[in-house]
Amino acid sequence: MASIAYFGPQGTFSEQAALAANRPDHTLVPEATVPEALAAVRHGHADLACVPVENSVEGAVSATMDALAVDEPLVAIAEIVLPVRFSLLAKPGTELGDITSVASHPHALAQVQGWLAKHLSHATQLAATSTAAAAVGVLDGQCGAAITAPVAADHYDLEVLETGIADVDDAVTRFLLLQRPGALPAPTGSDRTSIVAVAAYQRTGVLAEMLTELALRGINLSRIESRPMKGRLGEYRFYLDFDGHVAEQRIADALAALHRRCHEVRFLGSYPKADGTPTLAGTDNADADYAAAASWVTKVQQGRTG
Ligand SMILES: O=C(O)C(=O)C[C@]1(C(=O)O)C=C[C@@H](O)C=C1
């Protein structure tokens, strides 16, 4: 049976995202880390991977960004956006005042700092590999309480001391469903394309040149992040998300331009946007405009018109 490797163990937000991806014909397989979930797909042990990519409060999930930029390429075929509110789990009978340490994924801790300052200021905060791994840590006696996804309470024999915890009420996390390169999802008119680009080192204006290639083609940039290349200081990978599908001429044209300008461009997929909002495109950039322009150029080249 086909499978989805997700950032586990059981009871993470990533598992919820994998369920929300609505692939009932796939079994869900937990992996301990994001790189392991991606490696499961790269090595053919799983068909799809579901991993977090960014949170509206804490920003990029760097483990995902870094793992997507190296090793065998993977491409996203869907994005899932989930509201994020947390529960506080502890062993049955624990009172808030008994808790001397609280663990969670660093992204989760960052999203509840205000609540912790108010209710658990005396507790040491410990980083866990995931929210559900923190729940396992409570069972193992490594920490007194865990900040988890609400569903973690269904998987672990722990008591819910508090639920609905969030410093930002409408916080969301975006997840990607990734596969090995293959057939792309069909364009829907509400698509996003993701790439990683490495520009020439220390070339003045290179980032502006890259962004200009998008702007000139009426392409709406929805996200830009940089991550260090990890060797020389000042050398970065740029992660760009923009409206549109590579099947559209203006997107294909922009990717070709970036490929010319950059050392390296990695395609991370063209997939439907979770919010279904129509692709924003400037005027004169439709496929028909490109086709008309290309046919005019062909005529000029053939000496058929001036
Ligand atoms: O630990 C989990 O439950 C995850 O799926 C990871 C993750 C993240 O990396 O942002 C997902 C959503 C929440 O924002 C907190 C943690």
Side-chain angles (χ1 to χ4, degrees), residues 4-24:
I4 305 178
Y6 67 90
F7 175 32
Q10 280 194 317
T12 56
F13 283 103
S14 299
E15 183 188 30
Q16 271 184 278
L19 287 168
N22 201 15
R23 314 256 159 167

Side-chain angles (χ1 to χ4, degrees), residues 218-238:
I219 295 172
N220 180 47
L221 185 71
S222 54
R223 180 180 185 221
I224 178 165
E225 299 271 354
S226 64
R227 292 283 303 152
M229 298 275 289
K230 305 192 187 299
R232 291 184 283 197
L233 275 175
E235 199 171 15
Y236 295 95
R237 287 192 176 89
F238 292 100

Side-chain angles (χ1 to χ4, degrees), residues 7 11-14 52 55 61 84 86 105 107-108 111 129-132 149 173 175:
F7 175 32
T12 56
F13 283 103
S14 299
N55 169 260
V61 179
V84 179
F86 300 90
H105 188 280
H107 259 69
Q111 291 174 69
T129 49
S130 70
T131 53
T173 297
F175 298 82

Side-chain angles (χ1 to χ4, degrees), residues 19-21 26 40 47 77 80-82 114 144 165 185 199 212 228 235 250 252-253 267 278 284 287 294:
L19 287 168
H26 286 64
D47 301 278
I77 55 167
I80 302 105
V81 176
L82 291 184
I165 303 171
T212 302
E235 199 171 15
R250 67 203 173 85
D253 208 48
F267 176 69
D284 307 327
D287 281 358

